[in-house]
Amino acid sequence: MTDPNRIWTEAADRLKAEIGDGPFSSYIAPSAVRVDSQGNLILVTPTAYARDWVRKNALRRMNELWLGLDGLARRLDVRCRAEMGSVPPAAASGVAPRLTSISAAPAASPAAPAFAPATDGARAVRAAGLQERLTFDSFVEGHGNAFALAIAKQVATWADGHFNPVFFCGPYGYGKTHLLNAIAWEAQRLRPDAKVVYLTAERFLSTFVRAMQDRSTAAFKESLRSADMLLLDDVQFVGGKTSTQEELLNTLTALIEDGKRIVLSADRAPMALTDVEPRLRSHLAAGLTCPVEAADRDLKVAVAQSRLNALAQLGVVSGEARADVLEHLIDRTPGSMRELEGAVNTLAAVAGSRLSALTVDEVQSLLGAALRTGPERRITVDEIQKTVAEHFNLKQADLLSERRTRAIARPRQIAMYLCKQHTTRSYPDIGRRFGGRDHTTVLHGVRKIEELMPKDDQIARDVEALTRKLRG
């Protein structure tokens, strides 16, 4: 028998019987035999993970089977697609590059790691779901994120003596994903041959569930536990999912025992993840917890200016925005930094070369609808009071009363802050609607919340949650 198609079909059938459906479906079925320019037979795997697994666990047996069937005594090598580069559609031998599609399984296995790690360089990193613009160079440092940024840079250098795992926590939209992306890019640049795997918790969950359905959990585990650095974003989303938490715990344990690097993020500190099983919480908290605090006003201005500078380099806009225009955008986007960047993008698209000439009134006229929650959506003081009262388990009347206990005074100040952010009411008008209070009381309350948000993680989360509720 010398026909490679027939040899491969028979050898693959025998191998499947020996190693089982799971490993076969994950590593062998998505692969194909090709002939390179020198006439060598190559098993081409879809990823470097699969290549390494085949080389370690199946290549010797594959060659034994192949040699026993091939009258020409040819040997089979294994490479991943990235290594093959520009293999011609038909090699010199006249044999088609993809000699056969194995009938025992589909051409592409859904259980194969869908999250291409950074093993094969920049192209693979991009395939992993990372964003090219989220690097250390584009990260704007401020008072609330300086410590987290310093730790992120240390982790990215593969420096010895780091804490493991490193856990970034803080409100939604203030830079955690940016830091994890930046770490992955820099770590890969410094060690091109390392396996850097970046995943969102949602992707981890969906891929694990799919692997269980396809009975290929062994391949899933191998793909993660062979990583030199694992970065998992938004880990709070594994809460309440028992089997997924168990798998994550086992993965973290295996990686830590092997001295591999782990970086995680969530919207809360590890021990505050009440939906997460206690043993997993303990592992998450065992390394270093780095808070990424809500941005203060100076940092928001710097972020807005940085985004405009980046858009100017792309030719989207020219000139510089007036300081009061940036202040106006910040006032009208009190939520996360992502919302602020969205407002800046809209401004740049509308302004173009007129950016430096735009006044606050023109910006409000041009972007009024874009800076509201909807074309007809108007948030009222009464709505804010009811939403805040419900959030803090109070009555609306409590916010209007003369009571000054901390349990009421702080929610009242948050409500005043939200009124100033989401309505056009003046300080005196807001004061009248809070039981006839003086405008200086409202001003003090608004400034107090502005002062506390960068320092108090709980208040920042409360304001963020209330903002989302108000915007529907």
Side-chain angles (χ1 to χ4, degrees), residues 340-398:
L340 175 59
E341 285 199 351
V344 173
N345 291 341
T346 305
L347 173 66
V350 171
S353 61
R354 295 185 58 245
L355 177 63
S356 58
L358 286 182
T359 66
V360 170
D361 289 341
E362 287 178 296
V363 170
Q364 181 59 39
S365 175
L366 291 169
L367 306 183
L371 297 180
R372 293 194 296 267
T373 57
E376 301 297 333
R377 172 80 167 129
R378 297 183 67 86
I379 300 174
T380 65
V381 172
D382 182 68
E383 183 183 358
I384 290 172
Q385 291 174 345
K386 290 178 180 178
T387 304
V388 171
E390 180 183 359
H391 181 81
F392 288 102
N393 199 25
L394 301 171
K395 297 178 181 178
Q396 186 176 358
D398 292 331

Side-chain angles (χ1 to χ4, degrees), residues 171-219:
Y172 168 82
Y174 284 97
K176 302 186 299 298
T177 294
H178 194 145
L179 287 175
L180 263 64
N181 273 252
I183 291 171
W185 285 117
E186 182 66 6
Q188 188 64 62
R189 185 186 70 82
L190 293 175
R191 285 184 54 184
D193 296 330
K195 294 183 179 180
V196 180
V197 179
Y198 169 86
L199 275 176
T200 63
E202 181 182 10
R203 192 71 177 275
F204 176 90
L205 172 63
S206 62
T207 309
F208 177 60
V209 170
R210 200 166 60 216
M212 289 195 298
Q213 293 171 343
D214 296 331
R215 293 181 297 177
S216 57
T217 54

Side-chain angles (χ1 to χ4, degrees), residues 422-437:
H422 296 286
T423 75
T424 58
R425 302 291 180 181
S426 64
Y427 286 117
D429 195 8
I430 294 173
R432 284 193 294 271
R433 291 166 181 267
F434 277 82
R437 284 176 164 78

Side-chain angles (χ1 to χ4, degrees), residues 70-152:
D70 184 8
L72 299 180
R74 292 171 292 186
R75 295 191 64 84
L76 190 67
D77 195 6
V78 59
R79 300 179 201 165
C80 66
R81 284 179 191 156
E83 292 175 314
M84 292 301 290
S86 57
V87 176
S93 64
V95 181
R98 187 177 183 89
L99 297 176
T100 185
S101 177
I102 303 171
S103 58
S109 169
F115 40 91
T119 313
D120 298 321
R123 181 176 65 179
V125 171
R126 284 194 289 274
L130 298 174
Q131 300 179 55
E132 290 190 46
R133 72 182 186 90
L134 300 184
T135 65
F136 285 127
D137 288 340
S138 62
F139 191 88
V140 180
E141 183 177 355
H143 175 74
N145 61 29
F147 174 64
L149 177 60
I151 293 299

Side-chain angles (χ1 to χ4, degrees), residues 45 47-57 78 119 195 226:
T45 63
T47 68
Y49 282 145
R51 175 203 63 198
D52 293 345
W53 188 92
V54 169
R55 189 171 287 160
K56 179 179 179 181
N57 300 286
V78 59
T119 313
K195 294 183 179 180
S226 61

Side-chain angles (χ1 to χ4, degrees), residues 17-29:
E18 293 180 12
I19 68 175
D21 289 346
F24 183 87
S25 296
S26 296
Y27 298 113
I28 309 301

Side-chain angles (χ1 to χ4, degrees), residues 393-403 408 412:
N393 199 25
L394 301 171
K395 297 178 181 178
Q396 186 176 358
D398 292 331
L399 301 179
L400 311 184
S401 71
E402 294 297 324
R403 296 171 62 187
I408 294 176
R412 182 187 293 132

